[in-house]
Amino acid sequence: MKALVKPKPAPGFLLTDVPVPAVGPGDVLIAVEKAGLCGTDHHIYAWDGWAQQRIKPPIVVGHEFMGTVAAIGSEVRSIRAGERVSAEGHIADLTCLLCRTGQAHICEHVEIIGVDRDGAFAQYVAIPENNVWRLDADIPDVSAAIFDPLGNAVHTVMAAGVSVKSVVVSGVGSIGLLAVAVARAAGATSIYAIDVNPARLELARTLGADAGFLSSDPGIADEIRRRTAGNGADVLLEMSGNAAAIDLGLRVLRNGATAALLGLPSRPVTLDLADRIIFKGITVLGINGRRMFETWYQAEALVKSGRVDPRTVITHVLPYTAFDEAFALMEKGEAVKIVLDFKGDIAKP
Amino acid sequence: MKALVKPKPAPGFLLTDVPVPAVGPGDVLIAVEKAGLCGTDHHIYAWDGWAQQRIKPPIVVGHEFMGTVAAIGSEVRSIRAGERVSAEGHIADLTCLLCRTGQAHICEHVEIIGVDRDGAFAQYVAIPENNVWRLDADIPDVSAAIFDPLGNAVHTVMAAGVSVKSVVVSGVGSIGLLAVAVARAAGATSIYAIDVNPARLELARTLGADAGFLSSDPGIADEIRRRTAGNGADVLLEMSGNAAAIDLGLRVLRNGATAALLGLPSRPVTLDLADRIIFKGITVLGINGRRMFETWYQAEALVKSGRVDPRTVITHVLPYTAFDEAFALMEKGEAVKIVLDFKGDIAKP
Amino acid sequence: MKALVKPKPAPGFLLTDVPVPAVGPGDVLIAVEKAGLCGTDHHIYAWDGWAQQRIKPPIVVGHEFMGTVAAIGSEVRSIRAGERVSAEGHIADLTCLLCRTGQAHICEHVEIIGVDRDGAFAQYVAIPENNVWRLDADIPDVSAAIFDPLGNAVHTVMAAGVSVKSVVVSGVGSIGLLAVAVARAAGATSIYAIDVNPARLELARTLGADAGFLSSDPGIADEIRRRTAGNGADVLLEMSGNAAAIDLGLRVLRNGATAALLGLPSRPVTLDLADRIIFKGITVLGINGRRMFETWYQAEALVKSGRVDPRTVITHVLPYTAFDEAFALMEKGEAVKIVLDFKGDIAKP
Amino acid sequence: MKALVKPKPAPGFLLTDVPVPAVGPGDVLIAVEKAGLCGTDHHIYAWDGWAQQRIKPPIVVGHEFMGTVAAIGSEVRSIRAGERVSAEGHIADLTCLLCRTGQAHICEHVEIIGVDRDGAFAQYVAIPENNVWRLDADIPDVSAAIFDPLGNAVHTVMAAGVSVKSVVVSGVGSIGLLAVAVARAAGATSIYAIDVNPARLELARTLGADAGFLSSDPGIADEIRRRTAGNGADVLLEMSGNAAAIDLGLRVLRNGATAALLGLPSRPVTLDLADRIIFKGITVLGINGRRMFETWYQAEALVKSGRVDPRTVITHVLPYTAFDEAFALMEKGEAVKIVLDFKGDIAKP
């Protein structure tokens, strides 16, 4: 089959032929149709410091996708060939304390497809039955292809709790933008977006933000205070991972507020814990992945009911062969979310 | 009346005569009997950087105390002269969003007695009715005198939630030691104390810790992992405010754990947010003061039922005139908790 | 001043002259402008069994209202004459365990205006400072007049938690209809209304319900199961107090769901606790009044942001002198919510 | 192998030879060593109305047990032959909404061993891998044999939340007694037991209850109010399923309290919902089974730490051949908890 492969420890991907993955007794083989391009994929493509440390080439990359079940292992009971599916790309061990208490999303032994084992930028991917998510007929293909980042947004929003609250979204890349839309649908009464990119802020307003602020604006804290009756905001959804943005985000919160951190700082952050967190009585939530499978049910409910339309952040759908062009668009900041199409060219296994 | 006063911006306190405080229509005048000596009092006594920035002399110091109601204002309805009482020393405005939603302990306009206004190291102190706490007859005087720091411990323990959990207490000064005792009574199934002081660790074990570790011990993380079936601890109660201790405390937590931060770092802390908090899905709680008045009810239930005995941390009860000796004992590390006695010498107003 | 009074233990109200209420040092005198007519008022007007047991005539009735501060007591600090206000009609003692732990809405010693003491269907009403709610300029008068029942709806919705959930509202009288609107704004992804009245169900759909069912429809449970992927609904908001409706409501819930009960059954209810609650792992919440003052902040945020417009349930605004006509409209089922106007005729005290 | 079988729809069990159960690819075959006798077993033995409706003979009975792994299926990864184990007897489907969101204990398609499929009163039982619980070496065999009812107690206590609370346990049969011990260990500051049996109340006091009350005592509500400063208790753990006990239990709660219902009423219960639940703002929790596997981890932590010793409720350990004698002891009320021993006579499969 065709696959996008990181062949060796160097920049770039290789479009090449690899064997269709083996299907164990508990596995599901999925013919990939659409797959989302993620910042993580770009780290691996560009071969940055993080990628050099984490990735062991050769490996098939990619982890956001949807497709159709092509075959199932002998012990699979809940999934059938021909079903339209997506999948949770974090493969937990299912036997540890965390997996056995409903917290598989933070399993210490997790393996991520396209990072720790072969991924989904290929004509086929094999996934354990437990990770497969059957798609509702009302969910469009391109939306289904990005349920993984949508899930990051949903998990962050739902962990923080935004119902009848004022919410600051710090960093409106594709996940931050989805978080704006999800927060709006989940009942936020006001939403303030902060970013370095005016076009993204404009899109955030379209998706439900009441106001957008450039990070460089020195009046953000005053303006958010003013709009929240002098108190500060109830909730921070931190999607940037930027140290200054984290500090600003905590500053614009009211005492007793909640900050959910999804964005990953690339290095340690110097924080005034006393003034930003302890005296204010702030609750800080570290957010990782998506809850299995509350988040997926919530994402389905949001998209199926029409409250959230993930297509609003998809700027490009390209054939998978155009991957170099896709990464170039990402680098130039001309794309928000890019979906690759694998369907035009599917060989049966 | 006699009072311990910070007379001017310089080290030391002055024992002097000052007027008995005025009693407004909503105030309660309390004849102080016993008062606890706090680290904050020592900051003010020593006139360190924090004190220089915060304290405006002259001011009567002290905020932990108990006594008897000597007089009440014309509008006071729930308290009578002669009642035995303690008081919450954080005077909230009662009109802001936080006060009106059960979070007066993080009111932005709080005034602290002995810090922002005249305090309790005096023969009399005037307190708003709402801040007065009527003492159960079963609570001994010296225990009642330190309900304020006991309350810090109770608030931290109850906010984190320790019932049937493994708990690390990082820093076992007087509040940390009380937190050990409270955590044990509140249902922790295992408690691990960390400190620089072996004698404090020994006392922690007496109060219910299963093990005590010197901060310098390089094997702490391994040993706590070993004792928690390889997972790490469920809860961190951070009482030290020390940057290295915060990092260590977060390291010994399992994924999905809760860290309650009460200890105040004296300067910004550099934290690996990605590895310590975000990937692990940690919940961090900033803890300030005591909940009004859940914490007081909980402290009362714990002491009245005999589950916690605050006297275990009181090493000295001295006449208030011996305040210089008391601070010298604190400085030498020879005392855990010191209570000053004001009763021998009470003039009627 | 003019007031609507229950003069003696018999049906009807009397429009008569009574003294302007005395204003204690902690009280606020409010010139009433608009007041909502509640089912409770009708119980008292009709002098039913509940009213005969609870009401001690003579008493000024009415508890939902808004107006302008006419005078303040000598100890009032946070409210000034001339301010536009509404008020929480449940006057809690502020000194008990519940009041001191953020649960004043279930204070055992509560007094309700218009029920236990003189109320708001009058040109003036005196209210303790703590109960007064300053109105945002963006809240229209008629909306402000019904913040009390809006608050019942908000408290029920927020206690249950509806964000990204499927919700059944059982009973869509005025509070049930407000609950539909609030649930929609607070993030419910689907809402199903049940009632005996087709016109109310139609209005429920306008306010955000996805479907409305007549109570007599035998297919409700099947249809709600079908619409919730075979699981049943996540949340029940029970507003009817009807025994059959409570049973049906519990039946249409999925295992692990939450049922918030606001509607008051007039007599004991026979319930299959084992099959409806215990085996299913249902959480049942008894709901009373409005949280002081979380609920008021939430109601303000919902109305100010335009997410909820209480005017959608107000069918009539009548002069207060037309109170008999108003109750006749209620009895005939021709009105949803009626607001009485007191402003045309205000004598200065 | 030898097994206790319900052979036909009539009272009594039959000790007979049946085939060793088949072991599917995902199953674990366990050589049973000790098994607990439950009230459910007695319903089936006595062939009461519930049993006649639910049980389809012939079936091997029994669901509380521990033993040693004798064999594993080809796909089993986390369990090995020779390991000492217990097992969760509720076999959930693992594919529904509830199972996929951490609530497998209320899976709608659950099958219970010894009730819906062959059970554990036999020399061998086959259990799906996911249901097997590896035993810590510090847990004694007889304690491990009753982790199922201990788990009911732990789940009820932990769902209600008892840390620093006053707790009423209504019904102190074996699960109620375990609930007393667990509540004490989990941090309850006071515990009041209610039952019809003075000997059980005496045992409850030994296990940590502060007082025991006979159900017939008319002064219970007054006495519990008196002991809780006039407020009523914080938590009710309802273990009796008796209608009068449920009403009494709700009456002795303070406003805003939590009631966890585990006891199953045999018929519908007539409840004054308005006065007992709605006005008081009570939270009622339906409790079923044990959380998979939070409850098991919690039970392990409690027993391993020595905070709870399940042996305190075990009054008899009998050979499994003495099952008729065991049921006679239960009927006469002479036993609290009986454990059957299967180990003396184990044939290898």
Side-chain angles (χ1 to χ4, degrees):
Chain A
M1 67 174 188
K2 299 293 183 194
L4 298 188
V5 173
K6 184 72 175 183
K8 55 179 201 287
F13 288 164
L14 181 68
L15 170 52
T16 184
D17 284 287
V18 298
V20 170
V23 181
D27 288 341
V28 173
L29 185 71
I30 303 168
V32 177
E33 299 180 7
K34 298 266 188 301
L37 219 62
C38 172
T40 299
D41 301 319
H42 185 259
H43 288 301
I44 302 173
Y45 179 85
W47 202 239
D48 68 8
W50 172 85
Q52 293 174 34
Q53 211 171 21
R54 177 74 178 265
I55 307 296
K56 311 285 172 236
I59 187 172
V60 177
V61 293
H63 56 277
E64 311 172 357
F65 75 103
M66 59 74 58
T68 298
V69 175
I72 61 171
S74 59
E75 294 303 316
V76 171
R77 293 284 168 271
S78 62
I79 305 286
R80 296 183 199 174
E83 289 192 307
R84 198 165 145 267
V85 298
S86 180
E88 167 59 51
H90 287 211
I91 298 176
D93 69 13
L94 304 188
T95 63
C96 71
L97 165 71
L98 294 158
C99 288
R100 304 260 286 177
T101 57
Q103 303 171 85
H105 64 295
I106 44 174
C107 170
E108 283 201 1
H109 309 109
V110 73
E111 285 198 341
I112 305 178
I113 64 168
V115 173
D116 302 309
R117 49 186 273 174
D118 282 339
F121 289 168
Q123 289 180 318
Y124 294 94
V125 62
I127 296 281
E129 174 181 15
N130 182 64
N131 279 57
V132 179
W133 180 258
R134 206 185 272 111
L135 287 166
D136 187 282
D138 293 344
I139 314 283
D141 284 359
V142 286
S143 298
I146 62 168
F147 255 46
D148 173 300
L150 173 62
N152 292 131
V154 170
H155 177 20
T156 310
V157 167
M158 298 307 289
V162 302
S163 185
V164 190
K165 299 219 162 142
S166 55
V167 176
V168 172
V169 181
S170 163
V172 285
S174 54
I175 296 180
L177 286 167
L178 289 167
V180 168
V182 170
R184 183 68 186 79
T189 34
S190 54
I191 301 175
Y192 309 111
I194 305 175
D195 203 294
V196 294
N197 181 329
R200 299 283 172 103
L201 291 173
E202 195 48 46
L203 186 46
R205 297 207 50 161
T206 309
L207 291 170
D210 295 271
F213 300 99
L214 280 171
S215 308
S216 56
D217 177 348
I220 295 178
D222 286 348
E223 179 62 13
I224 289 179
R225 278 230 163 207
R226 196 187 62 76
R227 285 166 172 261
T228 53
N231 295 303
D234 298 319
V235 172
L236 169 67
L237 308 177
E238 214 302 307
M239 307 307 208
S240 75
N242 177 280
I246 294 169
D247 185 69
L248 174 62
L250 291 168
R251 261 202 299 136
V252 301
L253 289 181
R254 67 162 170 80
N255 285 9
T258 297
L261 311 185
L262 180 77
L264 288 167
S266 53
R267 64 181 63 85
V269 170
T270 301
L271 256 182
D272 185 343
L273 287 181
D275 279 350
R276 293 289 177 268
I277 292 176
I278 300 176
F279 280 124
K280 293 180 78 167
I282 299 295
T283 297
V284 177
L285 306 171
I287 304 289
N288 186 0
R290 295 148 299 279
R291 293 188 72 88
M292 302 171 201
F293 282 84
E294 288 90 333
T295 304
W296 290 81
Y297 284 101
Q298 291 161 342
E300 180 186 77
L302 287 164
V303 177
K304 191 173 152 65
S305 67
R307 307 289 203 245
V308 169
D309 185 347
R311 291 172 298 190
T312 46
V313 304
I314 298 172
T315 49
H316 301 75
V317 181
L318 300 172
Y320 72 94
T321 50
F323 63 95
D324 280 321
E325 178 191 342
F327 285 115
L329 284 164
M330 277 179 81
E331 282 165 15
K332 279 182 279 185
E334 287 176 11
V336 180
K337 190 76 190 175
I338 300 172
V339 168
L340 299 179
D341 183 280
F342 286 80
K343 201 179 181 178
D345 181 8
I346 292 176
K348 296 282 167 277
Chain B
M1 66 175 190
K2 299 292 182 193
L4 298 188
V5 173
K6 183 73 175 183
K8 55 179 200 289
F13 288 164
L14 181 68
L15 170 51
T16 185
D17 284 287
V18 299
V20 169
V23 182
D27 288 341
V28 173
L29 184 72
I30 303 169
V32 177
E33 299 180 9
K34 299 268 187 300
L37 220 61
C38 172
T40 299
D41 300 319
H42 186 259
H43 289 303
I44 302 173
Y45 180 85
W47 203 238
D48 68 7
W50 172 84
Q52 292 174 33
Q53 211 171 20
R54 177 74 177 265
I55 307 297
K56 311 284 172 236
I59 187 172
V60 176
V61 292
H63 56 276
E64 310 172 0
F65 76 102
M66 58 76 56
T68 298
V69 175
I72 61 172
S74 59
E75 294 303 315
V76 171
R77 294 283 169 273
S78 62
I79 305 286
R80 294 183 200 175
E83 289 193 306
R84 200 166 145 266
V85 298
S86 179
E88 168 60 52
H90 286 210
I91 299 175
D93 69 14
L94 305 188
T95 62
C96 71
L97 165 71
L98 294 158
C99 288
R100 305 259 287 177
T101 57
Q103 303 169 84
H105 64 295
I106 44 174
C107 169
E108 283 201 1
H109 309 109
V110 73
E111 286 197 341
I112 304 178
I113 64 168
V115 173
D116 302 309
R117 50 186 273 173
D118 282 340
F121 288 169
Q123 289 180 317
Y124 295 93
V125 61
I127 296 281
E129 173 180 17
N130 181 64
N131 279 56
V132 179
W133 179 257
R134 207 185 271 111
L135 287 166
D136 187 283
D138 293 344
I139 314 283
D141 284 359
V142 286
S143 298
I146 62 169
F147 255 46
D148 173 302
L150 173 62
N152 292 131
V154 170
H155 177 20
T156 310
V157 167
M158 298 308 289
V162 302
S163 185
V164 190
K165 300 221 161 140
S166 55
V167 176
V168 172
V169 181
S170 163
V172 284
S174 55
I175 296 180
L177 287 167
L178 289 167
V180 168
V182 170
R184 182 69 185 80
T189 35
S190 54
I191 302 175
Y192 308 111
I194 305 175
D195 204 293
V196 294
N197 181 330
R200 298 284 172 102
L201 291 173
E202 195 48 45
L203 186 46
R205 297 207 50 161
T206 309
L207 291 171
D210 295 270
F213 300 99
L214 281 171
S215 309
S216 55
D217 177 348
I220 295 177
D222 286 347
E223 179 63 13
I224 289 178
R225 277 231 163 206
R226 197 189 61 75
R227 285 167 172 259
T228 52
N231 295 304
D234 297 321
V235 171
L236 169 67
L237 308 177
E238 215 302 306
M239 307 307 208
S240 75
N242 177 279
I246 294 169
D247 185 69
L248 174 62
L250 292 169
R251 263 201 299 135
V252 302
L253 289 180
R254 67 161 170 80
N255 285 9
T258 297
L261 310 185
L262 180 77
L264 288 167
S266 52
R267 63 182 64 85
V269 170
T270 301
L271 257 181
D272 184 344
L273 288 181
D275 279 351
R276 293 287 177 270
I277 292 176
I278 300 175
F279 281 123
K280 293 180 77 166
I282 299 295
T283 297
V284 177
L285 306 172
I287 306 289
N288 186 359
R290 295 147 300 278
R291 294 189 70 88
M292 303 172 202
F293 282 84
E294 288 91 333
T295 304
W296 289 81
Y297 283 102
Q298 291 162 341
E300 179 186 78
L302 287 164
V303 177
K304 190 173 152 66
S305 66
R307 308 291 204 244
V308 168
D309 185 348
R311 291 172 298 189
T312 47
V313 304
I314 298 172
T315 50
H316 302 75
V317 181
L318 300 172
Y320 72 94
T321 51
F323 64 94
D324 280 321
E325 178 192 343
F327 285 115
L329 285 164
M330 278 180 79
E331 281 164 16
K332 280 182 278 183
E334 286 175 11
V336 180
K337 190 75 190 176
I338 300 172
V339 168
L340 298 179
D341 182 281
F342 286 79
K343 202 178 180 178
D345 182 6
I346 292 176
K348 296 284 167 277
Chain C
M1 68 174 187
K2 299 291 181 193
L4 298 188
V5 173
K6 183 73 172 182
K8 55 180 197 289
F13 288 165
L14 182 70
L15 171 52
T16 184
D17 283 288
V18 300
V20 169
V23 182
D27 290 340
V28 172
L29 185 71
I30 304 169
V32 177
E33 298 180 9
K34 298 268 188 301
L37 219 61
C38 172
T40 298
D41 300 318
H42 185 258
H43 289 301
I44 302 173
Y45 180 83
W47 201 238
D48 68 7
W50 172 84
Q52 293 174 33
Q53 212 173 20
R54 177 74 179 265
I55 307 297
K56 311 285 172 235
I59 187 172
V60 176
V61 293
H63 57 275
E64 311 171 358
F65 75 101
M66 60 73 59
T68 298
V69 175
I72 61 170
S74 59
E75 294 304 314
V76 171
R77 293 285 169 272
S78 61
I79 306 286
R80 296 183 198 176
E83 289 192 307
R84 201 166 144 265
V85 298
S86 179
E88 167 58 53
H90 287 211
I91 299 176
D93 69 13
L94 304 188
T95 63
C96 72
L97 165 71
L98 294 158
C99 288
R100 304 259 286 177
T101 57
Q103 304 170 82
H105 64 295
I106 44 173
C107 170
E108 284 201 0
H109 309 110
V110 74
E111 287 197 341
I112 304 179
I113 63 168
V115 172
D116 302 309
R117 51 186 272 174
D118 281 340
F121 288 169
Q123 289 180 317
Y124 294 94
V125 61
I127 296 282
E129 174 181 15
N130 182 63
N131 279 58
V132 178
W133 179 259
R134 206 184 273 110
L135 288 166
D136 187 282
D138 293 343
I139 313 283
D141 284 357
V142 287
S143 299
I146 62 168
F147 255 46
D148 173 300
L150 173 63
N152 293 131
V154 170
H155 177 18
T156 310
V157 167
M158 297 308 289
V162 302
S163 184
V164 191
K165 299 221 161 139
S166 55
V167 177
V168 172
V169 182
S170 163
V172 284
S174 55
I175 297 179
L177 287 166
L178 289 167
V180 168
V182 171
R184 182 70 185 80
T189 35
S190 54
I191 301 175
Y192 309 111
I194 305 176
D195 203 294
V196 295
N197 180 330
R200 299 283 172 102
L201 291 173
E202 195 47 45
L203 186 47
R205 297 207 50 160
T206 310
L207 291 170
D210 296 270
F213 300 100
L214 281 171
S215 309
S216 55
D217 177 348
I220 295 177
D222 286 348
E223 179 62 13
I224 289 177
R225 278 229 163 210
R226 195 186 63 76
R227 284 167 174 261
T228 52
N231 294 304
D234 296 322
V235 171
L236 169 67
L237 308 177
E238 214 303 307
M239 307 307 208
S240 76
N242 177 280
I246 293 169
D247 185 70
L248 173 63
L250 291 168
R251 262 202 298 135
V252 303
L253 289 181
R254 68 162 169 79
N255 285 9
T258 297
L261 309 185
L262 179 77
L264 288 167
S266 52
R267 63 182 64 85
V269 170
T270 301
L271 255 183
D272 185 342
L273 288 181
D275 278 351
R276 293 287 176 271
I277 292 175
I278 301 175
F279 281 123
K280 293 179 78 166
I282 299 295
T283 296
V284 177
L285 306 172
I287 305 290
N288 187 359
R290 294 147 300 279
R291 293 188 71 89
M292 302 172 201
F293 282 87
E294 288 90 333
T295 304
W296 290 80
Y297 283 102
Q298 291 162 341
E300 179 186 78
L302 287 164
V303 177
K304 190 173 153 66
S305 66
R307 307 291 203 243
V308 169
D309 185 347
R311 290 173 298 188
T312 48
V313 304
I314 298 172
T315 50
H316 302 75
V317 181
L318 301 172
Y320 72 97
T321 51
F323 63 95
D324 281 319
E325 178 192 342
F327 284 115
L329 285 164
M330 276 180 81
E331 282 164 15
K332 280 183 278 186
E334 286 175 11
V336 179
K337 191 76 192 176
I338 300 172
V339 168
L340 298 180
D341 183 280
F342 287 78
K343 201 178 181 178
D345 181 6
I346 292 176
K348 295 284 168 274
Chain D
M1 68 173 189
K2 298 293 181 193
L4 298 188
V5 173
K6 184 72 174 182
K8 55 180 199 287
F13 287 166
L14 181 69
L15 170 52
T16 184
D17 284 288
V18 299
V20 169
V23 182
D27 289 341
V28 173
L29 185 71
I30 303 168
V32 177
E33 299 180 8
K34 298 267 188 301
L37 219 62
C38 172
T40 299
D41 299 319
H42 186 260
H43 289 301
I44 303 174
Y45 180 83
W47 202 239
D48 68 6
W50 172 83
Q52 293 175 33
Q53 212 172 20
R54 177 73 178 265
I55 308 296
K56 311 285 173 235
I59 187 172
V60 176
V61 292
H63 56 275
E64 311 173 356
F65 76 101
M66 59 74 58
T68 299
V69 175
I72 60 171
S74 58
E75 294 303 316
V76 171
R77 293 284 169 272
S78 62
I79 306 286
R80 296 182 200 177
E83 289 192 308
R84 198 166 146 266
V85 298
S86 180
E88 168 59 53
H90 287 210
I91 299 176
D93 69 12
L94 304 187
T95 62
C96 71
L97 165 71
L98 294 159
C99 288
R100 305 260 285 177
T101 57
Q103 305 171 83
H105 64 295
I106 44 173
C107 169
E108 283 201 1
H109 309 109
V110 73
E111 286 197 343
I112 304 178
I113 63 167
V115 172
D116 301 310
R117 51 186 272 174
D118 282 340
F121 289 169
Q123 289 179 318
Y124 294 94
V125 61
I127 296 282
E129 175 181 15
N130 182 63
N131 279 58
V132 179
W133 179 258
R134 206 184 273 111
L135 287 166
D136 187 282
D138 293 343
I139 314 283
D141 284 358
V142 288
S143 298
I146 62 168
F147 255 46
D148 173 300
L150 173 63
N152 292 132
V154 170
H155 177 19
T156 310
V157 167
M158 298 308 289
V162 301
S163 185
V164 191
K165 299 220 162 143
S166 55
V167 176
V168 172
V169 182
S170 163
V172 283
S174 54
I175 296 180
L177 287 167
L178 289 166
V180 168
V182 171
R184 182 70 186 79
T189 34
S190 54
I191 301 175
Y192 309 111
I194 305 176
D195 203 295
V196 294
N197 181 328
R200 298 285 172 99
L201 290 173
E202 195 47 45
L203 186 46
R205 297 207 50 161
T206 310
L207 291 170
D210 295 271
F213 300 98
L214 281 170
S215 308
S216 55
D217 178 347
I220 295 177
D222 286 348
E223 179 62 13
I224 289 178
R225 278 230 165 208
R226 196 187 61 77
R227 284 167 174 261
T228 52
N231 295 303
D234 297 320
V235 171
L236 169 67
L237 309 177
E238 215 301 307
M239 307 306 208
S240 76
N242 177 280
I246 293 169
D247 185 70
L248 174 62
L250 291 169
R251 262 202 297 137
V252 303
L253 289 180
R254 67 163 170 78
N255 285 9
T258 297
L261 309 184
L262 180 77
L264 288 166
S266 52
R267 64 181 63 85
V269 169
T270 301
L271 256 182
D272 185 343
L273 287 181
D275 279 351
R276 293 287 176 270
I277 293 176
I278 300 176
F279 280 125
K280 293 179 78 167
I282 299 295
T283 297
V284 177
L285 306 172
I287 305 289
N288 187 0
R290 293 148 300 280
R291 293 188 71 89
M292 302 172 202
F293 283 85
E294 287 90 333
T295 304
W296 290 80
Y297 284 102
Q298 291 162 342
E300 180 186 76
L302 288 164
V303 177
K304 192 174 152 65
S305 66
R307 307 291 202 243
V308 169
D309 185 348
R311 291 173 297 188
T312 47
V313 303
I314 298 173
T315 50
H316 302 75
V317 181
L318 300 171
Y320 72 96
T321 51
F323 63 94
D324 281 320
E325 179 192 341
F327 284 115
L329 284 165
M330 278 179 80
E331 282 165 14
K332 280 182 280 186
E334 286 176 9
V336 179
K337 190 76 189 175
I338 300 171
V339 168
L340 298 179
D341 183 280
F342 287 78
K343 202 180 181 177
D345 181 8
I346 292 176
K348 296 282 168 276

